[in-house]
Amino acid sequence: MKIVILGCGRVGATLATMMDREGHTVSVIDYSNEAFRRLEPDFGGTTVIGNGVDEEILIRAGIKEADAFAAVTNGDNRNIMASQIAKEIFNVKKVVCRIYDPIRQSTYNELGLEAICPTVIGAQMLFKALSSDKEHGKEAKE
Amino acid sequence: MKIVILGCGRVGATLATMMDREGHTVSVIDYSNEAFRRLEPDFGGTTVIGNGVDEEILIRAGIKEADAFAAVTNGDNRNIMASQIAKEIFNVKKVVCRIYDPIRQSTYNELGLEAICPTVIGAQMLFKALSSDKEHGKEAKE
């Protein structure tokens, strides 16, 4: 599978490494060259410096041939906008987007789009950990 | 259950609301008064302004009587330090901590302490979403 990842923060870099190790063709976009340092040394994909809502940059990252697109920058609006571009303009089949704001996420999901919200997930995991008496450390790593 | 939550960002505020609605006695600490705006209007717990690694502030928030403590500020080191204080000095039974950095998290877990890492969880969820063909939007909200 060919995948374009927008944002090389911790989540983007971890995801890029995971996908690369699974044998997928990975291309990562970030506006900062420094961000690519987060990639593992054995990362075999490509990196593109630039703004991910710029179509030229997306094309350079291979969006036209991509099977999947993940938007994981720190900006919710940027992620939403880039995901829409990937879906509507470049017809990427699989588009996922990270949205921090739970309200924006539910609106986004109502539009039939796919978003994950670490805020809600994080709170739920902490809630579960606090509500249980068992050792949770190992579970959280899974 | 009496719980003290350090950090009233999105995750802290969501967790505080969840615990409050479950009938727990919740106290939230943040150094910024503005942060408490994130709490739902029906939030019935208390708020304390101050630095969560300051024992006086923790005492004011009720750490001495607390059954649980959650450290969810944006700083990994602050969360780790506050969790240690809650556990070692105040003997809080249940202590959970959010750690963004996967390396710090695994060290922390190896010490037998409980931490959740939204970076790893987020990347895993995106990985799953990208690896499957089914609609993921609803699932992600659960």
Side-chain angles (χ1 to χ4, degrees):
Chain A
M1 184 160 86
K2 283 178 187 162
I3 174 169
V4 175
I5 297 171
L6 173 61
C8 197
R10 282 177 181 150
V11 169
T14 307
L15 179 66
T17 303
M18 282 175 172
M19 298 299 292
D20 181 51
R21 286 186 181 161
E22 284 284 306
H24 300 294
T25 305
V26 182
S27 173
V28 192
I29 304 169
D30 202 289
Y31 61 83
S32 155
N33 195 23
E34 291 288 295
F36 300 125
R37 285 193 193 173
R38 295 195 180 95
L39 295 165
E40 294 292 324
D42 65 338
F43 177 70
T46 57
T47 56
V48 177
I49 301 171
N51 185 337
V53 294
D54 178 339
E55 291 179 31
E56 280 308 312
I57 295 293
L58 288 166
I59 290 167
R60 209 178 304 159
I63 194 94
K64 282 185 174 173
E65 302 81 34
D67 304 293
F69 178 78
V72 290
T73 75
N74 282 322
D76 281 359
N77 290 335
R78 206 180 317 138
N79 290 341
I80 291 171
M81 192 172 162
S83 295
Q84 298 279 45
I85 293 170
K87 208 176 174 88
E88 306 300 334
I89 299 175
F90 295 106
N91 299 308
V92 179
K93 211 176 137 193
K94 189 83 189 171
V95 175
V96 287
C97 177
R98 175 178 58 183
I99 302 182
Y100 281 112
D101 182 353
I103 297 162
R104 280 202 193 102
Q105 186 216 12
S106 68
T107 310
Y108 191 78
N109 283 340
E110 275 163 24
L111 293 167
L113 298 161
E114 204 164 324
I116 73 143
C117 182
T119 309
V120 174
I121 298 158
Q124 282 167 340
M125 289 200 64
L126 288 160
F127 180 79
K128 264 190 211 170
L130 291 169
S131 306
S132 86
D133 272 332
K134 64 185 168 106
E135 177 61 49
H136 201 79
K138 277 163 198 156
E139 215 175 275
K141 277 202 285 190
E142 276 171 21
Chain B
M1 186 159 86
K2 283 177 185 163
I3 173 168
V4 175
I5 297 171
L6 173 61
C8 197
R10 280 176 183 152
V11 169
T14 306
L15 179 64
T17 303
M18 281 176 173
M19 298 300 289
D20 181 51
R21 287 187 181 158
E22 284 284 307
H24 301 294
T25 305
V26 183
S27 174
V28 193
I29 304 168
D30 202 288
Y31 61 84
S32 155
N33 194 23
E34 291 288 297
F36 300 125
R37 285 194 192 170
R38 294 193 181 98
L39 294 164
E40 293 292 323
D42 66 339
F43 177 70
T46 57
T47 56
V48 177
I49 302 172
N51 185 336
V53 293
D54 177 341
E55 291 180 30
E56 280 307 312
I57 295 294
L58 289 166
I59 291 168
R60 209 179 302 160
I63 195 93
K64 283 186 173 173
E65 302 80 35
D67 305 292
F69 178 78
V72 290
T73 75
N74 282 324
D76 280 359
N77 290 334
R78 206 181 314 140
N79 291 340
I80 291 170
M81 192 174 164
S83 295
Q84 298 279 45
I85 293 170
K87 208 174 173 92
E88 306 300 334
I89 299 176
F90 295 106
N91 299 307
V92 179
K93 210 176 137 192
K94 190 84 189 170
V95 174
V96 287
C97 178
R98 175 177 57 184
I99 301 182
Y100 282 113
D101 182 353
I103 296 161
R104 281 201 194 102
Q105 186 217 11
S106 68
T107 309
Y108 192 79
N109 284 339
E110 276 163 22
L111 291 167
L113 298 162
E114 203 164 325
I116 72 145
C117 182
T119 309
V120 174
I121 299 159
Q124 283 168 338
M125 290 201 62
L126 289 160
F127 181 78
K128 264 191 211 170
L130 290 169
S131 306
S132 85
D133 273 332
K134 64 184 170 107
E135 175 63 48
H136 201 78
K138 275 162 199 156
E139 216 176 276
K141 276 200 287 188
E142 277 172 18

